[in-house]
Amino acid sequence: LSLQIAREGAVLLKNKDNILPLKKDQMVLIGSMAKNTRYQGAGSSHINVPHPISAVEAAAGRQIVYAQGYDIHREDNAAELLAQAVEVAKHVKTAVIFAGLPDSYESEGGDRDTLAMPENQNALIEAVAAANPNTVVVLHGGSAMDIPWLDRVKAVLYVALGGERVG
């Protein structure tokens, strides 16, 4: 049931050239949220689930490469993570970036003062899209966010905080 809810709750914001749904060709999964899925909110909305499924786990059986791309706990860019992600993105058919709002950007008890995503994620998306024209972005988050790179990626899928099977 949680998988069905996650699928039905996803919102396709852009799909240029019908790049989605993805074929089983080799792809690179980029971004800390591909392994450390943000599937629920922070604070009092946090619950313990037996085993949340990440995108990396969900892609089992496909030919994938994973690159961290950014540190979810820092806003500054780790040059080596960015460079590694760009390098692997150059050599695959499709680059899929998992990004969005970390817990520190949104939770109850405080208002956001910006709609911006962490700058290290925006920089990663820009750099990967420049290296691979077939870039797809999967966005995690519980609220609106600016996506200044929209015209440089082929697809954007907003999965919100889709629950334990969102991967």
Side-chain angles (χ1 to χ4, degrees):
L1 179 60
S2 62
L3 177 59
Q4 179 184 350
I5 291 168
R7 284 180 176 156
E8 291 179 11
V11 178
L12 186 59
L13 300 176
K14 180 178 181 179
N15 193 18
K16 185 176 180 184
D17 300 330
N18 292 314
I19 193 168
L20 295 176
L22 294 174
K23 313 296 183 275
K24 288 199 174 198
D25 300 315
Q26 183 181 18
M27 69 188 79
V28 60
L29 302 181
I30 299 172
S32 182
M33 288 186 187
K35 268 194 176 178
N36 304 299
T37 302
R38 182 148 188 255
Y39 61 95
Q40 64 181 339
S44 64
S45 67
H46 184 82
I47 60 167
N48 294 322
V49 298
H51 184 78
I53 300 295
S54 72
V56 171
E57 289 175 290
R62 291 182 177 219
Q63 188 177 2
I64 65 163
V65 177
Y66 170 74
Q68 184 178 342
Y70 60 87
D71 184 336
I72 193 77
H73 303 293
R74 298 178 57 161
E75 288 189 42
D76 60 331
N77 239 339
E80 67 279 358
L81 294 178
L82 180 65
Q84 176 194 34
V86 168
E87 187 57 34
V88 296
K90 290 178 184 177
H91 303 288
V92 293
K93 184 174 180 180
T94 308
V96 183
I97 301 173
F98 291 79
L101 301 173
D103 285 348
S104 62
Y105 269 57
E106 59 178 355
S107 67
E108 72 277 357
D111 293 333
R112 292 174 59 200
D113 58 3
T114 179
L115 293 179
M117 289 173 40
E119 188 50 43
N120 60 353
Q121 293 183 39
N122 284 327
L124 171 71
I125 294 167
E126 295 273 358
V128 168
N132 187 326
N134 293 318
T135 297
V136 173
V137 178
V138 178
L139 289 175
H140 295 269
S143 59
M145 60 192 93
D146 283 334
I147 49 176
W149 34 259
L150 180 63
D151 62 338
R152 290 178 285 292
V153 300
K154 282 242 177 132
V156 179
L157 181 66
Y158 178 65
V159 296
L161 299 174
E164 66 182 306
R165 297 293 185 250
V166 73

